[in-house]
């Protein structure tokens, strides 16, 4: 089992590493640079070449059954699921075969609306302690699911 973290903009890297350490699970923090190496024997920092989808491609090429990916990137979550892995976002929402289609369709619609100028603003609401707690709970549930 490996926990992959799409690490460039992930606000829960430290929390994910702590959960993985408890479960004695290898962690791969994947980014295009700018992060310091985590102080965990279980965690490895993977630096990929710069590029829009370089980290996503690296993760998608390696993830498989029994692995988990932490990402807010919906297309990457879809790729992880198709490879047999699990995926969860930084707010604790687990992606699965039942919800990824509608989540991906909504994401694509919102992207189209923004690019057509039909929507302004964005960015979502601020990240809260409740979101962090939901993430920790959701990740723990995925670990328990895999251990069954």
């Amino acid at each position: 089992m490996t926990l992959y973290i799409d690490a460039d903009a992930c606000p829960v890297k430290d929390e994910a590493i702590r959960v993985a350490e408890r479960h004695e699970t290898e962690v791969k923090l994947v980014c295009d640079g700018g992060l310091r190496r985590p102080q965990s024997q279980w965690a490895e920092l993977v630096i990929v070449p710069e590029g829009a989808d370089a980290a996503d491609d690296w993760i998608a090429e390696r993830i498989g059954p029994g692995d988990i990916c932490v990402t807010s990137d919906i297309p990457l979550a879809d790729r992880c699921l198709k490879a047999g892995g699990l995926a969860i976002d930084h707010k604790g929402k687990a992606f699965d075969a039942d919800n990824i289609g509608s989540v991906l369709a909504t994401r694509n619609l919102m992207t189209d609306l923004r690019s057509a100028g039909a929507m302004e603003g964005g960015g979502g609401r601020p990240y809260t302690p409740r979101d962090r707690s939901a993430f920790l709970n959701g990740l723990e549930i995925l670990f328990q699911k895999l251990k069954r």
Side-chain angles (χ1 to χ4, degrees):
M1 177 191 299
T2 301
L3 177 65
Y4 294 92
I5 301 176
D6 186 7
D8 281 321
C10 181
V12 290
K13 293 181 281 291
D14 293 336
E15 292 84 349
I17 291 170
R18 283 197 307 270
V19 172
E21 286 174 334
R22 235 185 3 260
H23 291 277
E24 298 182 345
T25 299
E26 179 181 26
V27 179
K28 305 281 188 189
L29 288 108
V30 185
C31 68
D32 63 6
L35 295 180
R36 60 183 168 78
R37 189 192 178 310
Q39 299 298 309
S40 170
Q41 70 178 21
W42 296 98
E44 175 187 354
L45 181 62
V46 177
I47 307 292
V48 297
E50 287 186 29
D53 292 325
D56 298 357
D57 292 342
W58 194 94
I59 293 168
E61 289 166 5
R62 288 160 179 81
I63 195 167
D67 296 333
I68 301 171
C69 180
V70 177
T71 185
S72 295
D73 185 302
I74 307 304
L76 174 57
D78 183 48
R79 292 171 71 186
C80 291
L81 293 174
K82 287 177 179 170
L86 301 176
I88 186 170
D89 74 6
H90 64 281
K91 293 184 178 182
K93 178 182 177 104
F95 301 104
D96 59 32
D98 294 332
N99 69 14
I100 194 65
S102 63
V103 172
L104 190 56
T106 300
R107 178 249 183 219
N108 291 340
L109 174 63
M110 300 305 282
T111 299
D112 290 346
L113 289 172
R114 277 191 292 278
S115 66
M119 292 183 62
E120 293 183 19
R125 62 181 175 79
Y127 197 70
T128 67
R130 179 176 279 164
D131 294 326
R132 193 171 308 279
S133 178
F135 169 75
L136 288 167
N137 186 52
L139 185 58
E140 187 63 38
I141 288 169
L142 290 182
F143 270 100
Q144 295 303 323
K145 179 179 179 180
L146 289 174
K147 288 192 174 195
R148 288 187 213 147

